[in-house]
Amino acid sequence: MCRRAYGVMRAGGSLAAAYGDYERGVVLARTASTSGTAIDTSGTAVGTSEVVAGAHRGLGEIARLRGDLAGARRLFELALEGCAIGPAGTGETRSRALVGLGRIAEAEGNTDEARYRHHQALTVALDHRNHPAAADAIEGAAGLALLEGDGERAALLLGVAVAVRGTSIAGDTDVARVATGSQGRIGDGRYAAAFERGAAMTLPEALALLGTAPSGA
């Protein structure tokens, strides 16, 4: 249910439908807690606390997209509190909750806080070798670059995110906002050139640009 909600929301679909799925996911996970675990679609046992944390993160994202920044912050913080700690976790929920807090900071004009949260998110994702979550953090950093007036770096980072993830995602509201803002600032031609330069990077090149790397890499 949570994965379906995430897919709907990420593709720019109905927030109401995603909200319902996330709420149902919380109920199912808590019901499953009587056995101590929940089972994901691949048959893998996962801690119910992490499932609930993932749902809280999703609900926080919906609140943020609806403009309820205070409610979103509370839900992201709940997600962080509930994240699994240790080698069994993927770091995905924690990383994406940190990106959410970074975007709230951007919306409030707090660039230092936004930079800190996006860096935290990227570090967590890379430490867990979770490239999709790392790409989300890079897209968060692209939004910050745009807020600071650097449209070319914003475009470059959007391209880097595609390189790290291995694919683009159509319909993402935040990516579309940053892309449109960057194009408006530097023009379509410069945007395309910067984006393509980022998208052509290898993972080591992308990490060198970002000035970070996974622990032990």
Side-chain angles (χ1 to χ4, degrees):
M1 298 296 290
C2 290
R3 287 178 179 176
R4 182 171 75 177
Y6 176 74
V8 168
M9 182 173 58
R10 194 66 190 265
S14 168
L15 292 182
Y19 186 93
D21 278 353
Y22 275 127
E23 283 204 317
R24 179 62 175 156
V26 171
V27 172
L28 290 172
R30 286 176 174 162
T31 300
S33 67
T34 55
S35 64
T37 60
I39 305 297
D40 71 11
T41 54
S42 66
T44 303
V46 294
T48 52
S49 63
E50 188 169 6
V51 176
V52 173
H56 281 149
R57 187 216 63 87
L59 291 169
E61 194 68 7
I62 291 170
R64 182 184 69 81
L65 290 171
R66 287 174 168 171
D68 180 8
L69 299 186
R73 180 181 287 107
R74 178 179 58 83
L75 285 160
F76 287 139
E77 289 171 350
L78 277 176
L80 291 175
E81 289 173 10
C83 284
I85 300 174
T90 65
E92 183 170 315
T93 295
R94 182 171 181 80
S95 179
R96 286 178 170 151
L98 288 166
V99 172
L101 288 172
R103 284 179 169 146
I104 288 173
E106 288 172 40
E108 294 174 339
N110 188 339
T111 56
D112 288 341
E113 174 72 8
R115 185 175 295 103
Y116 173 65
R117 292 301 190 181
H118 291 318
H119 178 75
Q120 277 188 305
L122 183 59
T123 300
V124 169
L126 291 175
D127 282 350
H128 287 81
R129 307 299 198 273
N130 190 316
H131 292 174
D136 286 355
I138 294 167
E139 287 164 349
L144 175 60
L146 180 64
L147 179 63
E148 293 181 320
D150 193 341
E152 188 152 352
R153 181 169 176 81
L156 177 67
L157 290 176
L158 290 181
V160 170
V162 171
V164 171
R165 184 184 290 114
T167 186
S168 59
I169 296 180
D172 183 276
T173 302
D174 291 297
V175 171
R177 170 181 56 81
V178 175
T180 299
S182 175
Q183 288 166 335
R185 181 172 288 274
I186 64 175
D188 292 348
R190 286 178 62 193
Y191 173 86
F195 180 92
E196 289 168 9
R197 181 157 58 92
M201 286 185 176
T202 64
L203 182 58
E205 288 172 340
L207 296 182
L209 172 71
L210 295 162
T212 189
S215 296

